[in-house]
Amino acid sequence: MSEFDRGDYRRALLGELAYLPDDDELHEWRGLNDVLVGVNRWRETPAEEIDGPAEIEVAVEILDDAYKAGLIEFRGSNSARNAEMMITHQGILETNFSAYIDPDDDGHVDHQSELDDLQKKIDSTSWTGLAVAASPAKIAIIREKSEALYQAIMQSDADLETRTNACKRVQAVILLLEAPNSPWPEIVSLLNHPSVTAFLATMNLLQFILGMAN
């Protein structure tokens, strides 16, 4: 496995551990085999070209290094070979919560179409239906994602004004989530501000919230 492939494989392993389907409640402890099955499900490499034993050795080495770096936690063993594992907040930040779109950078990925689609969903959202669907477990997920987003903003390379504005809005969201009847229109409005949607993780969070109303 080349250094380039190794880097891609590391991102794939951490990405698989960070992946959280909408219908799951929280990240769960997972064994090595389960993680590898998930990674290979998304790979384009034909099954016959995958060297199973060699892949396991590389995966164990990468995951052990990630454990030492605080990106994942182990349970039951100090090696990924025998441990159950779960990604940490720091690991989530490294995989998919730290991307920032600089509005002054001509090379940034244009996600205006995504924002337009998101606004259409917001405009057609049933706030009553969302409130009914917002179980304590799902609110816990939203709080976890909001806290991770806050940390990502703090550690981003965005300018101070953008970081300050975005952080204040996310802090307000976290406080509103503690309310007995969370005001979802206000929460979505805070997150849908340009200073916050400049961070790609916000899209994931808003999609999750709006998805509860469906």
Side-chain angles (χ1 to χ4, degrees), residues 107-127:
H108 77 261
V109 177
D110 181 10
H111 72 322
Q112 186 57 50
S113 61
E114 293 182 47
L115 291 173
D116 292 342
D117 290 342
L118 182 65
Q119 188 59 55
K120 291 177 182 177
K121 289 185 178 180
I122 292 173
D123 293 340
S124 62
T125 292
S126 166
W127 301 112

Side-chain angles (χ1 to χ4, degrees), residues 78-123:
N78 289 327
S79 172
R81 191 182 305 279
N82 301 309
E84 290 184 304
M85 63 197 80
M86 182 188 296
I87 196 161
T88 64
H89 281 305
Q90 186 61 37
I92 292 173
L93 293 178
E94 178 160 323
T95 52
N96 64 350
F97 276 97
S98 59
Y100 168 67
I101 296 177
D102 184 348
D104 297 321
D105 181 3
D106 291 336
H108 77 261
V109 177
D110 181 10
H111 72 322
Q112 186 57 50
S113 61
E114 293 182 47
L115 291 173
D116 292 342
D117 290 342
L118 182 65
Q119 188 59 55
K120 291 177 182 177
K121 289 185 178 180
I122 292 173
D123 293 340

